Amino acid sequence: MPSASASRSPATLRAATAPAAPVLLDDDAVDSVIAWYDAHHRDLPWGRATASPWGVLVSEIMLQQTPVVRVLPRWTAWMQRWPRPADLAQAGTADVLRAWDTLGYPRRALRLQECARAITAEHDGEVPRTEEALRALPGIGEYTAAAVSAFAFAQRAVVVDTNVRRVLARAVRGCALPESSLTAAERSIAAAQVPEDRARSVAWNQAVMELGALVCTARRPRCEECPLAAGDCRWVAAGSPAADPSAQRRVQRFEGTDRQMRGRIMKILRTHGRATDADLLRLDPEDPDRVERCARSLVDDALAVRRSGDLELPS
Ligand code: SF4
């Protein structure tokens, strides 16, 4: 006689293994995350208590694709040198790229300077406080506008970064990992989860983000330290099922990529101001076409210029 499970139809099996329907965290669970944050958060210099709105905006741009530990010294030096948008607006582009140093994706530095110029020209040098005005600035997307509005101006906003997405995927939806890119369903869960009260929404946004960064990490979540583990996390309640392979992000190879080569060329330019063809060729004598392709792409991105045959930082 077939067992009960063997007699189930494929549709029933799919339903049985699908993630649980989203159930938002209740007020007590939200309180527990906020209390955890109050006790365990990192004291970062771009916190609202210490940083200006401009400092918060700069930190959000730097942190987009770079870990906190690498951002910390560069953010501090940057804010000492250019404490207001007007200061960065007037800076030389070569100085800006040198100060960006090894943060990576240096086009962000150019966009940040464009942003500083727009703030100076259109907002009397003051970072605007509404998400709409922030999004109209160069280089400011949905996430950054929400984060600056929430963390610099204590406004209610839906702040959804990778850390928040991971906590909500696990705790609310019972999935091991979120999808590879933000979906409309995730956005609507994140929006519904933000408390209505303005002060509480700010506390929630910073708390859930920090929980994802420190405890609900991608590879080995430390559930034993999490305030949601005792009954509020659907993923833990379901026995911590493995991630759907389609949801797992591939770790991108860096060694040998054009991105690495561009970084090596930028390092020469930051250090010496210019690179001759011979300097460039030494980077990969076996593949001069690759070196030239990368140098040309830096020129196309306005990160370098050709002058008298040499490659230089833009002045
Ligand atoms: S209990 Fe574990 S998986 Fe669930 S939210 Fe906390 S750290 Fe993440």
Side-chain angles (χ1 to χ4, degrees):
M1 184 174 168
S3 69
S5 61
S7 67
R8 284 188 290 177
S9 68
T12 312
L13 285 171
R14 271 199 301 278
T17 54
V23 180
L24 293 180
L25 298 170
D26 63 19
D27 285 350
D28 288 346
V30 168
D31 283 344
S32 73
V33 174
I34 294 172
W36 171 88
Y37 176 83
D38 290 342
H40 299 286
H41 72 273
R42 296 166 292 182
D43 275 324
L44 297 170
W46 45 79
R48 195 156 55 87
T50 47
S52 64
W54 171 237
V56 174
L57 189 153
V58 171
S59 75
E60 290 296 343
I61 301 287
M62 288 184 171
L63 289 164
Q64 274 168 12
Q65 282 146 315
T66 311
V68 165
V69 66
R70 279 173 53 207
V71 167
L72 269 169
R74 276 98 188 180
W75 180 88
T76 303
W78 190 282
M79 293 307 297
Q80 281 169 355
R81 190 167 185 182
W82 300 303
R84 301 168 308 155
D87 303 314
L88 182 64
Q90 293 169 8
T93 305
D95 289 339
V96 171
L97 289 171
R98 281 198 188 92
W100 194 257
D101 198 16
T102 55
L103 288 175
Y105 297 100
R107 274 174 292 183
R108 287 182 291 166
L110 301 185
R111 298 293 277 166
L112 184 52
Q113 187 173 37
E114 287 173 38
C115 179
R117 288 177 178 147
I119 292 171
T120 305
E122 298 161 20
H123 298 278
D124 292 328
E126 302 292 337
V127 175
R129 53 193 304 136
T130 68
E131 284 184 70
E132 187 184 7
L134 285 160
R135 285 202 68 172
L137 295 170
I140 305 293
E142 178 182 347
Y143 164 76
T144 308
V148 172
S149 180
F151 302 141
F153 298 110
Q155 299 297 302
R156 185 179 182 281
V158 181
V159 184
V160 191
D161 75 345
T162 53
N163 293 315
V164 176
R165 292 181 65 209
R166 194 166 52 251
V167 174
L168 295 182
R170 290 171 177 162
V172 174
R173 295 162 56 213
C175 307
L177 290 172
E179 287 73 10
S180 55
S181 55
L182 182 65
T183 64
E186 277 186 276
R187 189 183 279 110
S188 99
I189 289 170
Q193 190 65 71
V194 175
E196 284 303 323
D197 176 75
R198 191 164 60 86
R200 203 164 135 77
S201 75
V202 175
W204 163 254
N205 279 325
Q206 59 192 11
V208 67
M209 191 177 287
E210 191 78 337
L211 187 71
L214 299 184
V215 174
C216 193
T217 52
R219 292 205 179 161
R220 285 192 200 85
R222 294 201 286 272
C223 302
E224 66 282 3
E225 298 173 27
C226 181
L228 300 177
D232 291 305
C233 177
R234 275 84 195 174
W235 186 64
V236 166
S240 308
D244 176 347
S246 66
Q248 295 186 42
R249 284 193 204 134
R250 286 196 195 96
V251 178
Q252 287 184 333
R253 180 179 60 94
F254 179 63
E255 199 66 31
T257 60
D258 282 6
R259 191 160 88 76
Q260 184 194 37
M261 177 59 71
R262 282 166 53 102
R264 294 175 69 194
I265 296 172
M266 286 303 293
K267 185 176 180 189
I268 295 178
L269 298 184
R270 285 196 308 272
T271 308
H272 304 291
R274 65 170 55 203
T276 64
D277 282 346
D279 295 331
L280 295 176
L281 194 55
R282 269 195 292 277
L283 293 173
D284 189 353
E286 305 286 309
D287 194 350
D289 289 347
R290 174 174 171 239
V291 177
E292 175 53 28
R293 179 175 71 241
C294 292
R296 207 168 40 238
S297 75
L298 291 173
V299 173
D300 291 344
D301 287 344
L303 292 164
V305 293
R306 283 276 184 197
R307 203 168 281 135
S308 306
D310 292 345
L311 199 65
E312 297 183 6
L313 285 179
S315 52

